[in-house]
Amino acid sequence: MKTHNNFDERFEFTGNAKTISLVGIVLGVIGIAFGFILGGDHIQRVYSNLLLMGYFFVCVCIAGVFFSAYNYVAQAGWSASLIRIPQAFAKVLPIASVILILIITAGLLHTHTVEEHGKKEVVPYLYAHWAAHGITIPGSENFDAIIYGKKGFLNIPFFYAVLIVLLGTYSFLGIKMAKFSEAEDTEGGMANYDKIFKYACIFLTIFGFTFPIFAFGVIMSLEAHWFSTMFGWYNLAAMHVSGLAVITLVIIYLQKRGNFSWLNENHLHDMGKLIFGFSIFWTYVWFAQFFLTWYANMPEESVYFYKRWEPEYKWWFWLNIVINFVTPVLALMSRDAKRLRNRLTWVCIILIAGHWLDYYLMIMPGTVGEHRGFFIEEVFIFAGFAGLFIYAVLSKIAKAPSLVPKKHPFLQESLHHHR
């Protein structure tokens, strides 16, 4: 076992990764411009894909804060030497949050005319079900009694307040934990560790109660007549699996670059167990939400799945469960499988694609409507956000004072971690 490590090493963000990230960003801009130039339904596709990727971007960054917080609260030793990676996600969260809010603002301000039930309406590209003019005004031709009953939650001031307060709180706590961790390297002692522990407890308490509200607002309200009390936990499971997959890919990439040499197959084994376990949890919530709705067969609940059982979405609906459940079960069931870098790499890539499809099925039937295949908007906007994420996270890792928390009280346990 390797016992001598260079903790003064730094990561340099150069070469292919930087080039690929910049190319991805350029492709994203091209995809957005392409959709706006074509006009018509393509503009709706652009906004829907921007919301999908903006939400995905935010969720992966939140997953970094979540991972750091529960490892500190659990006083987990194994993760101490890799904690700088999820902390980099936390540092990017404010950027991702601003981007998501800008996307939502543009989608609310930019309107178009649609014809529904024989009448024309001017509605925003995003959240048209509840944000259209007159929808909560009794006597208006656009009045909707169901939305009127939900107007305490579904109104623009409250919607923005929830977004800003929650994303601001998650960002603040995540950055504070990262800063205390870096201060620990220079100051030593237990004071900063104790502060991180307290902030992590605060974050987990707030996060546990509020993340479902965040998911209700950003995603579930796209189809505001429908609701599910399980939707928030379903999104939390998807967020966590996606974040774990991305953290694992970053670990593997950095090791291939010659960094984080102190991490071994035992650390990857634990990441693989988390991915496997929470993929099962995601499946449990997915099945519980779907099966109870199908069995009860109440129109106000089943309408959500009815749309996703239309011929153009049904194949993707079932592929979603195959990718996100069957893949980790078959590929990561055994102990040895979780310790193989190449196996983990491909499983993580498949799961990221799978949860992109999961979010796609949450968003597109309620915004775009009929599925007509994947176009340049989907591919290029995904590439754009992937490039932006790579650039932002690897830049934060490159700027970190050190790649390992040198005075973390459990560092030696992590360095000698074995199963």
Side-chain angles (χ1 to χ4, degrees), residues 208-281:
F209 284 105
T210 60
F211 184 80
I213 298 171
F214 173 68
F216 292 160
V218 178
I219 303 299
M220 195 171 76
S221 72
L222 290 167
E223 298 174 73
H225 283 180
W226 177 81
F227 69 93
S228 167
T229 54
M230 301 186 73
F231 191 81
W233 308 115
Y234 175 54
N235 272 257
L236 188 148
M239 172 275 295
H240 194 208
V241 175
S242 302
L244 290 170
V246 176
I247 291 170
T248 304
L249 284 181
V250 174
I251 290 171
I252 293 171
Y253 166 73
L254 291 172
Q255 285 196 303
K256 286 183 178 179
R257 284 284 303 267
N259 301 109
F260 287 87
S261 57
W262 48 85
L263 300 181
N264 56 49
E265 67 274 8
N266 298 292
H267 296 91
L268 291 179
H269 181 209
D270 279 349
M271 293 302 299
K273 286 192 294 185
L274 286 170
I275 292 169
F276 179 84
F278 279 94
S279 292
I280 302 301
F281 175 67

Side-chain angles (χ1 to χ4, degrees), residues 1-2 63 117-118 146 175 193 249 260 288 357 375 377 385 405:
M1 180 184 294
K2 185 174 180 179
H117 306 304
I146 295 175
I175 289 173
Y193 180 84
L249 284 181
F260 287 87
L357 177 61
F375 292 93
E377 293 95 337
F385 275 88

Side-chain angles (χ1 to χ4, degrees), residues 105-123:
T105 301
L108 285 168
L109 293 177
H110 194 178
T111 61
H112 62 136
T113 302
V114 298
E115 186 171 340
E116 191 172 349
H117 306 304
K119 63 178 181 179
K120 292 184 177 180
E121 299 178 57
V122 176
V123 299

Side-chain angles (χ1 to χ4, degrees), residues 8-10 84 91 182 185 397 399-403 406:
D8 294 321
E9 72 178 35
R10 301 291 295 274
R84 288 286 186 256
K91 293 176 182 177
E182 292 172 356
D185 286 352
I397 293 173
K399 293 175 183 177
S402 66
L403 296 181
K406 301 175 185 178

Side-chain angles (χ1 to χ4, degrees), residues 85-226:
I85 294 172
Q87 285 175 350
F89 289 25
K91 293 176 182 177
V92 176
L93 179 55
I95 299 170
S97 300
V98 170
I99 291 172
L100 178 61
I101 291 170
L102 290 175
I103 290 168
I104 289 171
T105 301
L108 285 168
L109 293 177
H110 194 178
T111 61
H112 62 136
T113 302
V114 298
E115 186 171 340
E116 191 172 349
H117 306 304
K119 63 178 181 179
K120 292 184 177 180
E121 299 178 57
V122 176
V123 299
Y125 278 99
L126 295 178
Y127 307 106
H129 284 208
W130 61 267
H133 177 70
I135 205 162
T136 57
I137 301 175
S140 168
E141 63 176 344
N142 294 332
F143 177 70
D144 188 312
I146 295 175
I147 303 302
Y148 181 78
K150 301 180 180 184
K151 68 175 182 177
F153 180 78
L154 294 179
N155 65 81
I156 289 177
F158 185 80
F159 181 71
Y160 271 106
V162 168
L163 277 180
I164 293 169
V165 170
L166 293 186
L167 291 176
T169 302
Y170 300 160
S171 299
F172 171 77
L173 294 172
I175 289 173
K176 290 295 285 186
M177 286 190 286
K179 286 186 176 179
F180 288 139
S181 178
E182 292 172 356
E184 185 179 56
D185 286 352
T186 56
E187 297 173 13
M190 290 293 291
N192 283 294
Y193 180 84
D194 290 340
K195 291 177 184 176
I196 299 170
F197 183 88
K198 291 175 183 176
Y199 273 77
C201 290
I202 293 169
F203 170 81
L204 291 176
T205 302
I206 294 172
F207 179 74
F209 284 105
T210 60
F211 184 80
I213 298 171
F214 173 68
F216 292 160
V218 178
I219 303 299
M220 195 171 76
S221 72
L222 290 167
E223 298 174 73
H225 283 180
W226 177 81

